[in-house]
Amino acid sequence: MLQTAQRTAKSKTKKAASAPSHKTGADKAAPPHDRFLEAFRWMLLTRTLEEKLVSLYRGGLITGGVYIGKGQEAVSVACGLFLQKGDIFAPLIRDQAGRSAFGEPLLDVTRTYLGSRLGPMRGRDGNIHRGHPRNNELAMVSHLGAMISVTVGTLMAKRLKGDKNFVGLACIGEGGMQTGSFHEGMNLAAVEQVPLVVVATNNHYAYSTPNDREFACRDLVDRAIGYGFEGYSLDGTDLGACLDVIGSAVKRVRAGRPPQLVVASVLRLSGHGEHDDASYVPEEVKRQPFARDCLKVAEQTIVDLNLVDAETLGKWRKDAIAQVEEAIAAAQQEPAPEGDKEDWCALSNRGLADQPESPE
Amino acid sequence: MLQTAQRTAKSKTKKAASAPSHKTGADKAAPPHDRFLEAFRWMLLTRTLEEKLVSLYRGGLITGGVYIGKGQEAVSVACGLFLQKGDIFAPLIRDQAGRSAFGEPLLDVTRTYLGSRLGPMRGRDGNIHRGHPRNNELAMVSHLGAMISVTVGTLMAKRLKGDKNFVGLACIGEGGMQTGSFHEGMNLAAVEQVPLVVVATNNHYAYSTPNDREFACRDLVDRAIGYGFEGYSLDGTDLGACLDVIGSAVKRVRAGRPPQLVVASVLRLSGHGEHDDASYVPEEVKRQPFARDCLKVAEQTIVDLNLVDAETLGKWRKDAIAQVEEAIAAAQQEPAPEGDKEDWCALSNRGLADQPESPE
Amino acid sequence: MSITYLEAIREAQAKLLRDDERVFIYGQDVGGTFGGAFKATKGLAKEFPGRVLNAPISEDAIVGTAIGAAMQGMRPIVEMQFADFSSIALNQILNQAGTHYWRTNMPIPITVRLPSGGTKGSGPFHSQSMESIYAHYPGLIVMTPATVEDAYTMLIEAVAIDDPVIYCEHKYLYYHLKADQLPEKGLPTGRARIAREGRDLTIVSYSAMMQESLAAAEELERDGFEIEVVDLRTVKPLDTDTVLASVARTGRLLCVGESFPWGGATAEVIARVTSQGFHLLDAAPQRLNAKDTPIPYHPNLWSTHRPNAKNVAAKARQLLRE
Amino acid sequence: MSITYLEAIREAQAKLLRDDERVFIYGQDVGGTFGGAFKATKGLAKEFPGRVLNAPISEDAIVGTAIGAAMQGMRPIVEMQFADFSSIALNQILNQAGTHYWRTNMPIPITVRLPSGGTKGSGPFHSQSMESIYAHYPGLIVMTPATVEDAYTMLIEAVAIDDPVIYCEHKYLYYHLKADQLPEKGLPTGRARIAREGRDLTIVSYSAMMQESLAAAEELERDGFEIEVVDLRTVKPLDTDTVLASVARTGRLLCVGESFPWGGATAEVIARVTSQGFHLLDAAPQRLNAKDTPIPYHPNLWSTHRPNAKNVAAKARQLLRE
Ligand SMILES: Cc1ncc(C[n+]2csc(CCOP(=O)(O)OP(=O)(O)O)c2C)c(N)n1
Ligand SMILES: Cc1ncc(C[n+]2csc(CCOP(=O)(O)OP(=O)(O)O)c2C)c(N)n1
Ligand SMILES: [Mg+2]
Ligand SMILES: [Mg+2]
């Protein structure tokens, strides 16, 4: 049996992942990662935005659903933060922090949720199904797992075109890891040896389904070796660790190492969507270490290490609120799409559109 | 990185797999496995049958294609041999030996290849796409990977019905392991903890595609841990090892251990099908240890250990030829299906058949 | 008492689990205390321990598993979380379940429930109607209930049938449709229903488009037209005889469907009526489908994308003038 | 010189690789010295190193990869080993490639080659014609070339088009069809072709069924009938105008397709002709499809399962009598 050996290897990676330990002190100390504060601000902005979206949804101002990344902002922000111009990002439904850090304007979010005709999806698609493929932010389809191979394809194309120094990062949940599409995409990434980082967030639930009905291996990071990826475990509630581990993974693929799989552990601190009260999550689970709120943990670190003072923190908070309010107000004033003005053509080649009925 | 640790674990399993070492000697010694000779006879019968099918194909007497398991008989026979009444077997295209050992009559094979109306597929399906689901020999679809979850389902049903002491065994090639369907089936088997053995035969090619364009992990057995299977490596050219390793895996799931993955290494000693000359296989590959012919190796063991005398071996050979000739002669005399006598209804409920055209 | 379309589906499953020990339910989030994304299995896991099981996000394997279980004599019901995700299970449905009886003589009695069709704000991947794909391939029965009563009796029938059944339940009808009580028995499978009698024009429809068709018929009644509305109930087998008999009475045919325009149920109905009942028609048969684009998220777009009572009525009026 | 349908496909790919550096080929066994299960890419891996790549048995990921590459400006050609295996890639084709332009305004210029249709002894999983499934969903162009010339020019066109193209090449035609030379240019995409002129009846067909239809037309010519045969070339977009114009000349319509009967191309053609050109018809339109069962292995069964010249002619005769 391989398990003992594997466990040892894993705890090794875990140790690497948990970053310098931070001593509390009154004097300003170095942050646990040089982009810690920058990352924290994206997390703060995301939390502020998503709380606002939730309240709009509760107020009946958003049609469809709202899906937030509460509790996953630290992992997500690290996914977006280390990507550069030319890199590819394939976020999923809990990646607002990463999207923002990658460069997605808040207005894209509010326009999409509020169904503005001017948004990137023009009312055609909603909520988290948005992207800017021309800016290398892929627009996810719902079918989980399907974005991995698409990301692989963008990277193969870049290599074929002779681009240099690019990487791709794709996000997945532990639920999505069970799809066939995910498996095929992972294997292909390894066969093609594209510079891909896959960040899997195990938030312990796929909708209402707990881990024990999702998979039966001891640790999902054990899948890395079976694909020929390098695998790392990560405490997703620890922002410093997220920046270290995901930042290093990005650095490694950029330097030509094999594809990287990072498996982060957190708890989803919301319902699956805002329609879901998540009453199926037992209290006991909420008391686990992985259930900590990464935003609070990060803020505590800031306070403990005295990285910035309370006034600055307050200013950041206000600033986040202002940005969110502005993005919402702007989107709310924008026109909605209208059925009879819409261009009902699914092809870019209008001349090739099928005409099932005679023009009237 | 997990690789070093994994490698150690692997060689451990390998050692377990290679069975008692056989000393050559003039005296009759104990066979390497108590069912060695029985298994050998199934292998011999299979080789005889398949060589005959090939010659019928070359002679234009078989329509479609012929797919044989040359070089894989030792692995395959072990797949069928340890299954009992009530167990489920999901063979693939190179599993004639296993099918025979499981109880498939030769006549099923010749009837299917020769398109007899009396065969299990009645001319509706051909070559290796046959089965007897009522006898728990599943009838594979072509789409690779798809039979794993079907096997899982049969086992779940048996458990739900209160059956006891049953197991299932499903075969796959290393190519088929890259399908999403395989992944989903494996994961589900582990989640449901059904008594399943999956025997993967890495014959180093998927059609013309060599391993390096199929996967990029060091060893496919490393996937076991990621699914929560127990994993074993196997030299598929060594019949004794095949019987030991696969026999033990069957025993383990029957005793309630987690699902088992056995990965056997061999070379496909034929084309993908008989239409394929396999000229893409380099000479150098054919000189590798995994390229040994398991039938010859087994025969050498018999001779070396003096397990039976030459006369008996000759008799077995003749007997195999006679059985094959008989099965072919019988099938050849049988009526072919005829289009205008056929029941063109894909539903068992005739009354619910759709009638796209008015009855004429 | 008042019962919704969704509750009827839950009740049917409760009854099936109660009456037939071969039945079990498999799908994402169907079990536990949750009872499915739409609560169609609410409470059933508790009432029937070990028989309402949560599955991983593995549609291909979920259906494969159901097929295997069916081979061993079980009667599995699979819930897809949304019909749209059945694209992942399509191979198992078409090539494994759909071919098995013909190939091996052993039928595969599985029922695959597809929460189908558009609702406000659901967008391209949570709104699809896939009946046309499944009906195109051999070996499957495709049900598309349009009433609470049919939702109930047809699901019970689906599980009783030895062949694989794709049961397309419409999400829009889940809460919109109510009945006073559930019937013991419905029409036989494969029989269409005259939902409303008339003599000027036949509208053939199914699933949620029945609502729009019936509303259109009412609107036209105010103008003095008597519209007959036929509910196909199953799109495969398709009850050509009932449709032909209706067209024989009215001479005019309008087919309304929510799936995409190219080659769906509406095309099939028109092809059958014109090839078998050409001389019954007094005017060109017409059809109305969704538009040939993905299904939009925004309610303004969505309500234009799908046929609705207004444009069904308009199309009918046009056809009545001919 | 004489060139087969299969060679035309190979030549088109060679030309594409030569002329356009954005083109690459991805699929199982297409590379190495092998050149594909049917040799449609024979020699290309050597001639164009690094641009004709073997992929694992992962149809979903193969198409996903092509889609991603297309987003970055490439023009991938995917070869499915058999059309039947595209069921595994269906989700990526329908929901990723087919929706992307409409959702994001960025088109996905991929070409997916599907070796389609039945040949003797191929059986249920190596014989399918899947054009009807792909044509049903929005956002895809579905080509079904019936001649060597079209096989060549349409494949070149397919890669030039910015939108995703499903290119259904028929395996039966691979060796059966020959031409003297390859043309520079074909008809525009989406335009049907009058393959044979006539005035008594219109047969509309495509792909391998064109052979059967033309043979039937010849047989009927001996009886004095002039049959017009229309080759759709692409089933989506479907050139309704050319079909209508033909029916206007002949008054009679027979549609012939090799896919399953329920809701395919033949139903779609009849629905369009009857709804838009009802008064052009002198008799009920008819159709002929494969039978509604899996495609049988045995040649005796297979030749009965698919339409052939004999029953096309019989059906046409019947229609001519009406
Ligand atoms: C193939 C597929 N099946 C089902 C769904 C429906 N669905 C949407 S999100 C979700 C749960 C996802 O769980 P996980 O991957 O762990 O991500 P999380 O929501 O926890 O972030 C499901 C089942 C889907 N999107 N795709
Ligand atoms: C999903 C799928 N894609 C493609 C094929 C076509 N195909 C049939 S056998 C084969 C190679 C199989 O390789 P492997 O699994 O290693 O088995 P082997 O033939 O080597 O025994 C391929 C590609 C298939 N059967 N299923
Ligand atoms: Mg999760
Ligand atoms: Mg192989």
Side-chain angles (χ1 to χ4, degrees):
Chain A
M1 286 317 316
L2 314 177
Q3 287 158 347
T4 328
Q6 187 77 20
R7 209 159 11 157
T8 324
K10 209 177 57 213
S11 34
K12 200 162 36 159
T13 60
K14 234 182 198 149
K15 210 167 120 211
S18 53
S21 67
H22 329 314
K23 285 269 171 288
T24 313
D27 291 340
K28 266 205 180 152
H33 186 284
D34 61 1
R35 302 184 73 175
F36 191 91
L37 292 174
E38 180 190 358
F40 174 77
R41 290 193 69 179
W42 289 123
M43 291 168 65
L44 190 63
L45 180 66
T46 297
R47 185 67 65 90
T48 309
L49 169 68
E50 293 195 331
E51 277 172 358
K52 186 70 194 177
L53 290 174
V54 168
S55 90
L56 289 174
Y57 175 78
R58 300 256 159 85
L61 294 167
I62 289 176
T63 314
V66 169
Y67 301 84
I68 66 170
K70 188 171 178 185
Q72 310 192 187
E73 294 96 337
V75 178
S76 181
V77 70
C79 292
L81 204 63
F82 300 98
L83 301 181
Q84 306 166 355
K85 198 171 143 56
D87 290 345
I88 308 288
F89 185 35
L92 285 189
I93 67 176
R94 311 209 188 275
D95 286 309
Q96 186 53 54
R99 289 171 186 260
S100 289
F102 185 71
E104 181 186 73
L106 281 197
L107 201 52
D108 272 16
V109 190
T110 56
R111 281 172 159 169
T112 305
Y113 265 111
L114 293 164
S116 159
R117 200 170 69 201
L118 308 180
M121 312 315 275
R122 298 160 293 162
R124 294 174 176 191
D125 211 338
N127 54 61
I128 34 49
H129 297 93
R130 65 177 185 278
H132 259 308
R134 277 179 223 280
N135 299 345
N136 293 342
E137 181 198 341
L138 305 190
M140 62 173 280
V141 298
S142 290
H143 300 73
L144 291 166
M147 300 309 296
I148 303 286
S149 60
V150 173
T151 311
V152 172
T154 62
L155 302 175
M156 278 179 69
K158 282 176 165 289
R159 185 161 61 200
L160 284 163
K161 291 191 294 181
D163 288 6
K164 288 269 177 304
N165 201 32
F166 57 86
V167 310
L169 189 148
C171 298
I172 193 79
E174 87 292 345
M177 288 181 79
Q178 316 316 323
T179 63
S181 191
F182 175 80
H183 173 71
E184 294 192 0
M186 292 293 282
N187 183 60
L188 212 61
V191 167
E192 301 295 355
Q193 284 293 305
V194 289
L196 176 70
V197 177
V198 173
V199 177
T201 303
N202 180 3
N203 61 9
H204 291 79
Y205 285 87
Y207 210 150
S208 76
T209 303
N211 277 185
D212 68 346
R213 293 294 299 166
E214 298 191 79
F215 56 86
C217 57
R218 277 156 171 278
D219 191 325
L220 289 168
V221 79
D222 291 346
R223 295 209 178 150
I225 192 171
Y227 291 121
F229 273 52
E230 294 178 356
Y232 295 86
S233 295
L234 170 62
D235 173 359
T237 69
D238 178 346
L239 175 60
C242 291
L243 297 171
D244 281 343
V245 172
I246 295 173
S248 313
V250 168
K251 214 176 272 168
R252 275 190 299 270
V253 290
R254 216 185 283 287
R257 297 284 312 155
Q260 308 278 313
L261 173 67
V262 175
V263 180
S265 179
V266 301
L267 184 65
R268 193 189 70 205
L269 298 181
S270 63
H272 172 63
E274 286 312 304
H275 57 280
D276 171 25
D277 67 8
S279 55
Y280 44 80
V281 179
E283 284 309 314
E284 178 201 332
V285 168
K286 296 182 189 161
R287 285 190 298 267
Q288 298 297 315
F290 60 74
R292 296 190 305 172
D293 179 343
C294 60
L295 186 67
K296 286 199 190 134
V297 174
E299 189 171 338
Q300 193 60 48
T301 303
I302 291 174
V303 172
D304 288 351
L305 297 186
N306 195 16
L307 298 178
V308 297
D309 58 21
E311 195 186 333
T312 309
L313 264 179
K315 204 187 133 294
W316 286 358
R317 220 176 288 279
K318 269 205 212 116
D319 186 52
I321 293 170
Q323 281 186 61
V324 168
E325 297 289 351
E326 188 189 354
I328 286 169
Q332 274 175 333
Q333 284 159 25
E334 289 175 1
E338 286 171 52
D340 51 5
K341 292 193 192 138
E342 184 65 24
D343 179 21
W344 294 103
C345 182
L347 297 180
S348 71
N349 252 293
R350 239 129 279 275
L352 295 180
D354 187 41
Q355 304 292 349
E357 309 200 37
S358 57
E360 271 150 277
Chain B
M1 286 314 315
L2 313 178
Q3 287 160 346
T4 327
Q6 189 77 19
R7 211 160 7 157
T8 323
K10 210 176 56 213
S11 34
K12 200 163 30 157
T13 61
K14 237 183 196 147
K15 209 165 122 217
S18 51
S21 67
H22 328 313
K23 286 269 172 291
T24 313
D27 290 339
K28 261 201 186 156
H33 186 282
D34 60 359
R35 302 185 73 175
F36 191 91
L37 292 174
E38 180 190 359
F40 174 77
R41 290 193 69 178
W42 288 123
M43 292 169 66
L44 191 63
L45 181 66
T46 298
R47 184 68 65 88
T48 310
L49 170 69
E50 294 195 330
E51 277 172 358
K52 186 71 195 179
L53 290 174
V54 168
S55 91
L56 288 174
Y57 174 78
R58 298 257 159 84
L61 293 168
I62 289 176
T63 314
V66 169
Y67 300 84
I68 66 171
K70 189 172 179 185
Q72 310 193 187
E73 294 95 337
V75 178
S76 182
V77 70
C79 291
L81 204 63
F82 300 99
L83 301 181
Q84 308 167 355
K85 199 171 142 57
D87 291 344
I88 308 288
F89 185 36
L92 285 188
I93 67 177
R94 310 208 187 277
D95 287 309
Q96 186 52 53
R99 289 171 187 259
S100 289
F102 184 71
E104 181 186 73
L106 281 197
L107 201 53
D108 273 16
V109 189
T110 55
R111 281 172 160 171
T112 305
Y113 265 111
L114 293 164
S116 158
R117 198 168 70 200
L118 308 180
M121 313 314 276
R122 297 160 292 161
R124 294 174 175 191
D125 211 338
N127 53 61
I128 35 49
H129 297 92
R130 65 178 184 276
H132 259 308
R134 278 178 221 279
N135 298 346
N136 293 341
E137 180 197 341
L138 305 189
M140 62 173 279
V141 298
S142 291
H143 300 73
L144 291 167
M147 300 311 296
I148 304 286
S149 60
V150 174
T151 312
V152 172
T154 62
L155 302 175
M156 278 178 70
K158 282 175 165 289
R159 185 161 60 200
L160 284 163
K161 292 191 295 181
D163 289 7
K164 290 267 177 305
N165 201 32
F166 56 87
V167 310
L169 189 148
C171 299
I172 193 80
E174 88 292 345
M177 287 181 80
Q178 316 316 324
T179 63
S181 191
F182 175 80
H183 173 72
E184 294 193 1
M186 292 293 281
N187 183 60
L188 212 61
V191 166
E192 302 294 355
Q193 283 294 303
V194 289
L196 176 69
V197 177
V198 173
V199 177
T201 303
N202 180 1
N203 61 9
H204 291 79
Y205 285 86
Y207 211 150
S208 77
T209 302
N211 277 185
D212 68 346
R213 293 296 298 169
E214 298 191 79
F215 56 85
C217 57
R218 275 156 173 280
D219 191 325
L220 289 168
V221 81
D222 291 346
R223 294 210 178 150
I225 192 170
Y227 291 121
F229 274 52
E230 294 178 355
Y232 295 86
S233 295
L234 170 62
D235 173 359
T237 68
D238 177 346
L239 175 60
C242 292
L243 296 171
D244 281 342
V245 172
I246 295 173
S248 313
V250 169
K251 214 176 272 169
R252 274 190 300 271
V253 290
R254 216 185 283 284
R257 296 284 313 156
Q260 308 277 314
L261 174 67
V262 175
V263 181
S265 180
V266 301
L267 183 66
R268 193 188 71 207
L269 299 182
S270 63
H272 172 63
E274 287 312 305
H275 57 281
D276 171 26
D277 66 7
S279 55
Y280 44 79
V281 178
E283 285 308 315
E284 179 201 331
V285 168
K286 296 181 191 163
R287 286 190 298 266
Q288 297 298 313
F290 60 73
R292 297 189 305 173
D293 180 343
C294 60
L295 186 68
K296 286 199 192 136
V297 173
E299 189 171 338
Q300 192 61 48
T301 303
I302 291 175
V303 171
D304 289 352
L305 297 185
N306 194 17
L307 298 179
V308 297
D309 58 21
E311 195 185 332
T312 309
L313 263 179
K315 206 187 132 294
W316 287 357
R317 221 177 289 279
K318 268 203 211 118
D319 186 51
I321 293 170
Q323 283 186 59
V324 168
E325 297 290 350
E326 189 190 351
I328 285 170
Q332 272 175 333
Q333 285 159 25
E334 290 175 359
E338 287 170 52
D340 51 4
K341 292 193 191 139
E342 183 65 25
D343 179 20
W344 294 103
C345 181
L347 298 180
S348 70
N349 252 291
R350 241 128 278 275
L352 295 180
D354 187 40
Q355 305 291 351
E357 310 202 37
S358 57
E360 270 151 277
Chain C
M1 182 195 144
S2 157
I3 183 160
T4 65
Y5 183 94
L6 178 62
E7 285 160 354
I9 290 169
R10 189 202 161 282
E11 285 310 310
Q13 293 180 104
K15 180 179 163 54
L16 285 160
L17 286 162
R18 207 178 301 123
D19 295 354
D20 188 344
E21 59 183 18
R22 301 170 305 170
V23 174
F24 71 99
I25 302 180
Y26 206 43
Q28 290 146 23
D29 303 297
V30 295
T33 55
F34 192 64
F38 298 100
K39 309 289 175 237
T41 56
K42 184 83 189 164
L44 298 181
K46 194 166 170 208
E47 196 176 340
F48 304 98
R51 296 173 64 198
V52 184
L53 302 168
N54 279 351
I57 308 179
S58 303
E59 284 80 4
D60 179 280
I62 290 169
V63 172
T65 299
I67 291 168
M71 288 179 186
Q72 288 288 322
M74 303 298 285
R75 299 266 155 168
I77 301 173
V78 166
E79 175 180 299
M80 289 283 147
Q81 198 148 81
F82 286 81
D84 317 50
F85 299 126
S86 75
S87 54
I88 310 293
L90 185 116
N91 185 59
Q92 295 280 14
I93 297 174
L94 301 186
N95 287 316
Q96 191 96 253
T99 67
H100 200 263
Y101 170 71
W102 205 71
R103 291 169 64 236
T104 70
N105 218 23
M106 179 196 262
I108 302 292
I110 61 169
T111 300
V112 183
R113 288 180 37 231
L114 302 186
S116 303
T119 54
K120 224 170 43 166
S122 296
F125 308 119
H126 293 76
S127 303
Q128 294 173 22
S129 298
M130 297 185 66
E131 65 277 0
S132 303
I133 285 188
Y134 294 112
H136 179 59
Y137 262 63
L140 307 169
I141 289 167
V142 184
M143 296 183 172
T144 49
T147 67
V148 177
E149 292 83 352
D150 273 352
Y152 180 74
T153 58
M154 288 170 75
L155 184 48
I156 291 172
E157 266 289 293
V159 173
I161 290 172
D162 284 341
D163 296 293
V165 178
I166 309 301
Y167 177 93
C168 305
E169 54 195 60
H170 202 293
K171 302 193 299 290
Y172 184 82
L173 301 180
Y174 276 170
Y175 317 101
H176 278 76
L177 279 193
K178 289 199 176 80
D180 285 338
Q181 59 180 55
L182 295 175
E184 278 290 301
K185 246 192 122 48
L187 283 179
T189 301
R191 187 79 63 77
R193 175 177 69 98
I194 308 288
R196 182 192 168 106
E197 294 191 358
R199 49 176 199 187
D200 296 325
L201 177 147
T202 299
I203 299 182
V204 173
S205 189
Y206 59 98
S207 193
M209 284 297 121
M210 280 297 295
Q211 292 305 301
E212 308 301 323
S213 301
L214 287 168
E218 258 169 52
E219 187 189 318
L220 289 163
E221 190 177 20
R222 279 175 247 134
D223 301 348
F225 293 112
E226 294 178 24
I227 308 297
E228 181 145 309
V229 182
V230 178
D231 174 6
L232 289 176
R233 301 178 67 252
T234 68
V235 299
K236 191 174 186 188
L238 197 157
D239 183 357
T240 318
D241 290 344
T242 297
V243 174
L244 281 172
S246 175
V247 174
R249 285 189 286 276
T250 65
R252 285 176 158 73
L253 172 66
L254 171 61
C255 299
V256 183
E258 188 178 328
S259 67
F260 302 116
W262 196 106
T266 58
E268 183 60 24
V269 170
I270 290 181
R272 292 192 189 194
V273 169
T274 55
S275 66
Q276 296 176 41
F278 188 64
H279 300 292
L280 306 174
L281 286 163
D282 298 327
Q286 298 297 338
R287 59 185 171 154
L288 215 54
N289 293 298
K291 293 195 187 295
D292 193 26
T293 70
I295 301 148
Y297 157 76
H298 198 286
N300 289 356
L301 300 181
W302 175 68
S303 60
T304 311
H305 186 268
R306 76 198 284 257
N308 56 44
K310 229 166 79 184
N311 53 28
V312 173
K315 195 90 177 177
R317 269 208 187 83
Q318 200 181 310
L319 184 44
L320 285 162
R321 275 197 296 271
E322 272 179 26
Chain D
M1 181 194 144
S2 157
I3 182 159
T4 65
Y5 183 94
L6 177 62
E7 285 161 353
I9 290 169
R10 190 202 160 282
E11 284 310 309
Q13 293 179 104
K15 179 178 162 57
L16 285 160
L17 286 163
R18 208 177 300 122
D19 295 354
D20 188 344
E21 60 181 19
R22 300 170 306 169
V23 173
F24 71 99
I25 301 179
Y26 205 43
Q28 290 147 22
D29 303 297
V30 295
T33 54
F34 192 64
F38 298 100
K39 309 288 174 237
T41 56
K42 185 83 190 163
L44 298 181
K46 194 166 172 208
E47 195 176 340
F48 304 98
R51 295 172 65 197
V52 184
L53 302 169
N54 278 351
I57 308 179
S58 303
E59 284 80 3
D60 179 281
I62 290 170
V63 171
T65 299
I67 290 168
M71 289 179 187
Q72 288 288 322
M74 302 298 285
R75 299 267 155 167
I77 300 173
V78 167
E79 176 180 298
M80 288 285 147
Q81 198 149 80
F82 285 81
D84 316 50
F85 300 127
S86 75
S87 55
I88 311 293
L90 185 116
N91 185 59
Q92 294 282 13
I93 296 174
L94 300 187
N95 287 314
Q96 190 97 253
T99 67
H100 201 262
Y101 170 71
W102 204 73
R103 292 170 62 235
T104 69
N105 219 24
M106 178 195 262
I108 301 292
I110 60 169
T111 299
V112 182
R113 289 180 37 230
L114 303 186
S116 303
T119 54
K120 223 169 44 167
S122 297
F125 309 120
H126 293 76
S127 303
Q128 294 174 22
S129 298
M130 297 185 67
E131 64 278 359
S132 302
I133 285 188
Y134 294 111
H136 179 59
Y137 262 63
L140 307 169
I141 290 167
V142 184
M143 296 183 172
T144 49
T147 67
V148 176
E149 292 83 353
D150 272 353
Y152 180 73
T153 58
M154 288 171 75
L155 184 47
I156 291 172
E157 266 289 293
V159 173
I161 289 172
D162 284 341
D163 296 294
V165 177
I166 309 301
Y167 177 92
C168 306
E169 53 195 60
H170 203 293
K171 302 192 299 291
Y172 184 83
L173 302 180
Y174 275 171
Y175 318 99
H176 278 77
L177 279 193
K178 288 198 177 82
D180 285 338
Q181 59 180 53
L182 295 174
E184 277 290 303
K185 244 190 123 49
L187 284 178
T189 300
R191 186 80 61 78
R193 175 178 69 99
I194 308 287
R196 181 192 168 106
E197 294 191 359
R199 51 177 198 186
D200 295 325
L201 178 148
T202 299
I203 298 181
V204 173
S205 190
Y206 58 98
S207 194
M209 284 298 121
M210 279 297 295
Q211 292 305 301
E212 308 300 323
S213 302
L214 288 167
E218 258 169 51
E219 187 189 320
L220 288 163
E221 190 177 21
R222 279 176 246 133
D223 301 348
F225 294 112
E226 295 178 23
I227 309 296
E228 181 144 310
V229 182
V230 178
D231 174 6
L232 290 176
R233 300 178 69 250
T234 68
V235 298
K236 191 173 184 186
L238 197 158
D239 183 356
T240 318
D241 289 344
T242 297
V243 174
L244 281 172
S246 175
V247 174
R249 284 189 288 275
T250 65
R252 284 177 159 75
L253 171 66
L254 171 59
C255 299
V256 183
E258 187 179 329
S259 67
F260 302 117
W262 196 105
T266 57
E268 183 61 23
V269 169
I270 289 181
R272 292 192 189 194
V273 168
T274 55
S275 65
Q276 297 175 41
F278 189 64
H279 299 292
L280 306 174
L281 286 163
D282 298 327
Q286 299 296 338
R287 59 184 170 154
L288 214 53
N289 293 298
K291 293 197 187 292
D292 192 27
T293 72
I295 301 149
Y297 157 76
H298 198 287
N300 289 357
L301 299 181
W302 175 68
S303 60
T304 311
H305 186 268
R306 75 199 284 259
N308 56 43
K310 228 166 78 184
N311 53 28
V312 173
K315 194 91 178 176
R317 267 207 190 85
Q318 199 181 313
L319 184 44
L320 284 161
R321 275 197 297 270
E322 274 181 23

Coordinates of all heavy atoms in Angstrom, one line a residue, chain B residues 173-175 201-206 214, ligand 4:
Chain B
G173 N -7.8 -0.7 -20.9 CA -6.4 -0.5 -21.4 C -5.9 0.8 -20.8 O -6.6 1.7 -20.3
E174 N -4.6 1.0 -21.0 CA -4.0 2.3 -20.5 C -4.5 3.5 -21.3 O -4.6 4.6 -20.7 CB -2.4 2.2 -20.6 CG -1.8 2.7 -21.9 CD -2.1 1.7 -23.0 OE1 -2.5 0.6 -22.8 OE2 -1.9 2.1 -24.2
G175 N -4.9 3.2 -22.5 CA -5.6 4.3 -23.3 C -6.9 4.7 -22.7 O -7.2 5.9 -22.5
T201 N -4.5 -3.0 -18.4 CA -3.4 -3.6 -19.1 C -2.7 -2.5 -19.9 O -3.3 -2.0 -20.9 CB -3.8 -4.7 -20.0 OG1 -4.5 -5.7 -19.2 CG2 -2.6 -5.4 -20.6
N202 N -1.5 -2.1 -19.5 CA -0.7 -1.2 -20.3 C 0.1 -2.0 -21.3 O 1.1 -2.5 -21.0 CB 0.2 -0.4 -19.3 CG 1.0 0.6 -20.2 OD1 0.9 0.7 -21.4 ND2 1.9 1.4 -19.5
N203 N -0.5 -2.0 -22.5 CA 0.2 -2.7 -23.6 C 1.0 -1.8 -24.4 O 1.4 -2.1 -25.5 CB -0.8 -3.6 -24.4 CG -1.8 -2.7 -25.1 OD1 -1.7 -1.4 -25.0 ND2 -2.8 -3.3 -25.7
H204 N 1.3 -0.6 -23.8 CA 2.2 0.4 -24.4 C 1.7 1.1 -25.6 O 2.3 2.1 -26.1 CB 3.6 -0.2 -24.6 CG 4.3 -0.4 -23.3 ND1 4.0 -1.6 -22.5 CD2 5.2 0.3 -22.5 CE1 4.7 -1.5 -21.4 NE2 5.4 -0.4 -21.4
Y205 N 0.5 0.8 -26.1 CA -0.1 1.5 -27.2 C -1.6 1.6 -27.1 O -2.2 0.7 -26.6 CB 0.3 0.8 -28.6 CG 1.7 1.0 -29.0 CD1 2.7 0.2 -28.5 CD2 2.0 2.1 -29.7 CE1 4.0 0.4 -28.8 CE2 3.4 2.4 -30.0 CZ 4.4 1.5 -29.6 OH 5.7 1.8 -29.9
A206 N -2.1 2.7 -27.5 CA -3.5 2.8 -27.8 C -3.6 3.0 -29.3 O -3.1 4.1 -29.8 CB -4.1 4.0 -27.0
E214 N 0.0 9.5 -24.2 CA -1.2 9.0 -23.6 C -1.3 9.6 -22.2 O -2.4 10.0 -21.7 CB -1.3 7.5 -23.5 CG -1.3 6.8 -24.8 CD -1.6 5.3 -24.5 OE1 -2.8 5.0 -24.3 OE2 -0.6 4.5 -24.5
Ligands
MG4 MG -3.2 -0.1 -24.9

